[in-house]
Amino acid sequence: SSNQSVTVIGLGPMGQAMADAFLDNGHEVTLWNRTASRADALVARGAVLAKSVEDAVQANELVVLSLTDYDAMYAVLEPAADVLKGHVFVNLSSDTPEKTRAGSRWITERGGVHLTGGVTVPPAGIGKPESKTFYSGPRAAFDRHRGSLEVLTGTDFRGEEPGLAALMYQIGMAMFWPSMLSYWQAIALAEANGLKAADILSHANDTMLAMPHFLGFYAERIDAGNHEGDVDRLAMGLASVEHVKHTIGDAGVDTSFQSAVVDLFRRAMDAGHAADSFSSIVELLRKSA
Ligand code: NDP
């Protein structure tokens, strides 16, 4: 099998978009999925549906996995454990760094090579070079298959430790979900006051667009261990997040998310950070680790 030939295992929305991108790019594509019918449209485009997982793995050196999580990988690959040797598994299923390290060991013990991937875009972002996927694992295997992987998205190789790509992915998700929750909270507050989501969209966007300034400003200080209260003080921050909580509560909107925010500010006050910047909350979070 040539360099332009790849196996894709797992045909959810992501795996389908990936197989499509490989076909668009002239790759020969072999497929396997638990529910075989999910391959129909791709087979109509020229992909080959393997009869078994063993056949799918043996068809190519490069095997891309796009499954729900790492448990699904064991479920799929266990019956093919004898033929993993010599194949490079690029696992684009997301999971915790710990799970990806264990998965990497499992593949390596069976003679395969494992590259962890963390895809940062939805299916619509697949096939676009401006999209990004984090990778970690053996550098030589990444370099060897980089051309094919760049058919899917741009690549950002983080290092050999297998958990690194998953860590970067989870860092992004740790910011994405609470950010979106803060937006749902803003919309609920707006709606309780007779406004629609569309009415606050421009203000919501301006608020988010101001964030890169804050991220950069505090990154430098935090790396330098500087939580000086010269531009903001935690005591001011606590008053502000309490105003938000009361505004939400007065409108009859659920306050549980904002209560968690207020709780963190209070605990940092109790820890003696009243006159420090609210970035001192990082110290509090680090200590509970
Ligand atoms: P889905 O969960 O929809 O795809 C699941 C795939 O895994 C299907 O092919 C499914 O098979 C298979 N699968 C699940 N469990 C098993 C099992 N026990 N045995 C065999 N096969 C199994 O996920 P997506 O396609 O949406 O995403 C794939 C990965 O990419 C996930 O890890 C996701 O977190 C990640 N990701 C997704 C994004 C998105 O926007 N969708 C964005 C970034 C990352 P079957 O068809 O038979 O059910």
Side-chain angles (χ1 to χ4, degrees):
S1 55
S2 76
N3 220 9
Q4 293 292 103
S5 171
V6 60
T7 291
V8 177
I9 294 179
L11 298 174
M14 276 305 230
Q16 290 189 19
M18 289 169 181
D20 262 322
F22 283 129
L23 288 171
D24 289 346
N25 216 266
H27 278 59
E28 282 173 35
V29 180
T30 298
L31 305 169
W32 189 86
N33 194 53
R34 178 179 58 181
T35 309
S37 60
R38 296 230 157 91
D40 290 351
L42 293 158
V43 168
R45 291 198 59 203
V48 173
L49 179 61
K51 287 194 201 68
S52 64
V53 183
E54 290 92 324
D55 286 355
V57 169
Q58 286 176 303
N60 289 296
E61 179 185 320
L62 176 60
V63 180
V64 169
L65 303 173
S66 179
L67 300 161
T68 302
D69 53 22
Y70 273 61
D71 286 344
M73 174 183 82
Y74 301 121
V76 168
L77 291 186
E78 240 148 24
D82 291 343
V83 301
L84 305 188
K85 195 170 182 218
H87 297 275
V88 176
F89 296 86
V90 176
N91 198 336
L92 301 177
S93 322
S94 46
D95 215 316
T96 67
E98 271 307 311
K99 288 271 201 172
T100 66
R101 288 180 196 117
S104 171
R105 275 195 302 275
W106 190 85
I107 293 275
T108 307
E109 280 163 12
R110 283 154 186 78
V113 175
H114 183 273
L115 284 169
T116 308
V119 185
T120 65
V121 293
I126 300 301
K128 305 205 168 124
E130 65 272 24
S131 299
K132 185 155 78 182
T133 301
F134 295 112
Y135 289 97
S136 55
R139 174 95 220 189
F142 172 76
D143 286 341
R144 183 166 159 75
H145 292 289
R146 184 180 198 149
S148 288
L149 297 178
E150 283 180 347
V151 168
L152 303 179
T153 64
T155 61
D156 186 350
F157 184 81
R158 303 301 303 181
E160 299 240 341
E161 197 280 292
L164 288 171
L167 174 67
M168 293 301 282
Y169 175 84
Q170 295 303 341
I171 283 171
M173 288 296 100
M175 296 185 68
F176 177 79
W177 295 119
S179 298
M180 291 307 291
L181 261 183
S182 76
Y183 182 43
W184 302 162
Q185 177 175 269
I187 289 171
L189 174 59
E191 284 177 341
N193 288 277
L195 299 170
K196 308 279 284 178
D199 296 323
I200 65 159
L201 179 58
S202 149
H203 180 40
N205 273 329
D206 289 345
T207 303
M208 287 294 184
L209 285 167
M211 297 312 284
H213 161 75
F214 292 106
L215 303 191
F217 178 77
Y218 287 108
E220 238 174 74
R221 288 181 162 227
I222 289 168
D223 283 348
N226 174 9
H227 297 292
E228 201 185 327
D230 56 343
V231 291
D232 78 278
R233 292 187 328 120
L234 182 71
M236 174 281 288
L238 175 62
S240 175
V241 295
E242 280 181 330
H243 294 161
V244 177
K245 184 179 167 181
H246 290 136
T247 303
I248 289 169
D250 290 348
V253 168
D254 187 292
T255 57
S256 55
F257 185 66
Q258 197 62 25
S259 292
V261 173
V262 168
D263 179 60
L264 280 168
F265 277 74
R266 281 235 181 86
R267 283 165 53 205
M269 290 283 281
D270 294 346
H273 293 295
D276 296 336
S277 164
F278 81 129
S279 65
S280 56
I281 293 175
V282 168
E283 302 296 325
L284 187 83
L285 294 169
R286 209 183 268 148
K287 271 178 203 144
S288 7

